[in-house]
Amino acid sequence: MNIESLISKAAKEAVKALYDLDASDKMVQPQKTRSEFEGNLTLVVFPFVRAAKKSPEQTAQEIGEYLQEHCAAVEKFNVVKGFLNLSIGDGAWLELLKAIDADEQYGKKAASEQSPLVMIEYSSPNTNKPLHLGHVRNNLLGWSLAKIMEANGNHVVKTNIVNDHGIHICKSMLAWQKWGNGETPESSGKKGDHLIGDYYVAFDKHYREEVKELVAQGMDEEKAKQEAPLIKEAHEMLVKWEQGDSEVRALWEQMNSWVYAGFDETYRRMGVEFDKIYYESQTYLKGKAKVEEGLAKGLFERHADGSVWADLTKEGLDQKLLLRSDGTSVYMTQDIGTAEMRFQDYPIDKMIYVVGNEQNYHFQVLSILLDRLGFKWGKELVHFSYGMVELPNGKMKSREGTVVDADDLMELMIDDAYQTSMELGKFDDMTEEERREIARIVGMGALKYFILKVDARKNMLFNPEESIDFNGNTGPFIQYTYARIRSILRKAQGETGPMNLANTTGLISPKEVELIQKMSEFGAAVEQAGKDYSPSGIANYCYELTKVFNQFYHDYSILNESDEQKRKIRLVIARNVAKIIKSGMSLLGIEVPERM
């Protein structure tokens, strides 16, 4: 039991004994005492004043006296109006430190057989181009959210839905047929996803030229976009694909295999993976069947032109198209089909979709439709909606000139980490192999932390230069503190033996108490991040813990402390700060180096 829970329990007993009041957990929840007042934890006594029939000050005084007498952790107290400030004794803090030290998985909950199964969908790429900066934020959020949900005792399935069919891939396929001359990833030396992306760009370039030429001949621009020979050919290819044409299907499978190999390399470098990947080419027919089933049950309606719609006016929305008049599906239909397949594969209790905020309306509708169709988690599905991420103008240009490829960004971050570390002299005594590995860890840590520390709902500007800073609220600052602690512990050479707690008076300073108190908040931070679906909560906790440790380290020596017992305590504190930093950063998908 942590100290907050201990005080809360004792406060419940106090108000019951003093005023015969059965207090709720919320009424007796202690807060961290504000820095300008003496004490560690504060109880607000206003909720008990009516039962006490006394002033707030008198009520606080009575509860304080009761706690000091009946709760061994409370050493002394002071009253400021209706606020009871409690000073916790050194012995209680050191017992808490022992408990933290004994628990390797401190702050995390293990799943049981009865734990809910949470499925999290993230990434969702198209197979006509490489992953880009927007995908980076999506993947990092999805992976971190999965780790946070696991740390809160849930079973988690990480899943991806790949948009692998449609007009977009036909454009790349057609361009490759026309101008590829049999080029492959092997013959070109390009990653497969970049190769296919280049042909998508080539299609667009030639298509725009055709439209421009038709407009110059006097055709209306909108008509020209429909009548351009290239787009007509792409649509013909799509029809052939849907009819199962063997030649088109073979080319589609070949080019998609190149893309998947490229994606896999990017995912590995990013440090994310999936338990199950679904493909829209396999789910859209399921979706159409599910819509037809709903139509037969009277859940949807068919219009005169043969199209199928869902009437959502009772829910305050409009009508939503589910099948076009020619029987082809829309994205909503595909999502319904994917949900059907997932529900058959897993006993899902909660479904979380990590998708940008431009899709807010889509998921509002999907939730209603899945609920109508009988999916038990439909109404409760979570759209983890996040904002756009951009780079400062001119910082980076991708091969298309319009988006930033994930591979290019990661390469830049690792190179910047290498150069910065060299300039700061952090690599002086390392082999080149060690330098490259630490540059990878620091560069990727800088990228991930900078993106994840921001509230996901907000749009953000990612500045590579700001992110690789060994001071301030950055990944490298936290990583460097971890490496510094590991260096201290190596120099201590196993000095962290058992602490003698027989006489605890004067063994720890207020800075050490502050540090133990901050460590004790890790479990609550993990729990809150799970409730709020908020990786930024974990990032901010790791930064705050790191700051408190550095303030302590600035004021107190660890290895040069002459008092053996104090030195042992400080080494145990340092060891557990490192343990919690490593654990917290792992929830963000960030590695921490043993040396820097």
Side-chain angles (χ1 to χ4, degrees), residues 288-303 306-310 322-323 373:
K288 289 171 74 170
K290 201 70 184 168
V291 168
E292 292 288 354
E293 182 186 311
L295 187 65
K297 291 178 179 176
L299 301 175
F300 310 130
E301 55 190 46
R302 193 185 296 280
H303 287 191
S307 58
V308 178
W309 296 73
L322 300 180
L323 289 175
L373 288 165

Side-chain angles (χ1 to χ4, degrees), residues 32 93 513-522 540-541 544-546 548 580:
K32 199 170 181 178
W93 291 118
V513 167
E514 184 184 4
L515 201 41
I516 296 168
Q517 189 169 7
K518 178 55 71 174
M519 283 193 280
S520 76
E521 294 167 10
F522 181 51
N540 293 329
Y541 171 83
E544 290 298 324
L545 176 62
T546 303
V548 175
I580 293 171

Side-chain angles (χ1 to χ4, degrees), residues 78-150:
N78 67 84
V79 175
V80 180
K81 297 183 179 177
F83 300 92
L84 172 60
N85 301 320
L86 304 170
S87 294
I88 307 302
D90 288 355
W93 291 118
L94 289 170
E95 286 293 345
L96 176 58
L97 178 61
K98 273 181 72 176
I100 293 170
D101 188 46
D103 186 355
E104 276 306 307
Q105 294 300 314
Y106 177 72
K108 298 178 179 178
K109 297 171 188 166
S112 68
E113 285 185 17
Q114 289 74 41
S115 296
L117 176 67
V118 179
M119 180 176 278
I120 301 176
E121 175 194 293
Y122 56 98
S123 200
S124 311
N126 292 338
T127 55
N128 63 314
K129 54 192 173 186
L131 302 175
H132 55 66
L133 179 57
H135 287 114
V136 172
R137 192 178 198 189
N138 181 296
N139 279 279
L140 297 184
L141 287 169
W143 178 262
S144 178
L145 190 59
K147 292 294 166 193
I148 289 167
M149 297 308 284
E150 282 176 352

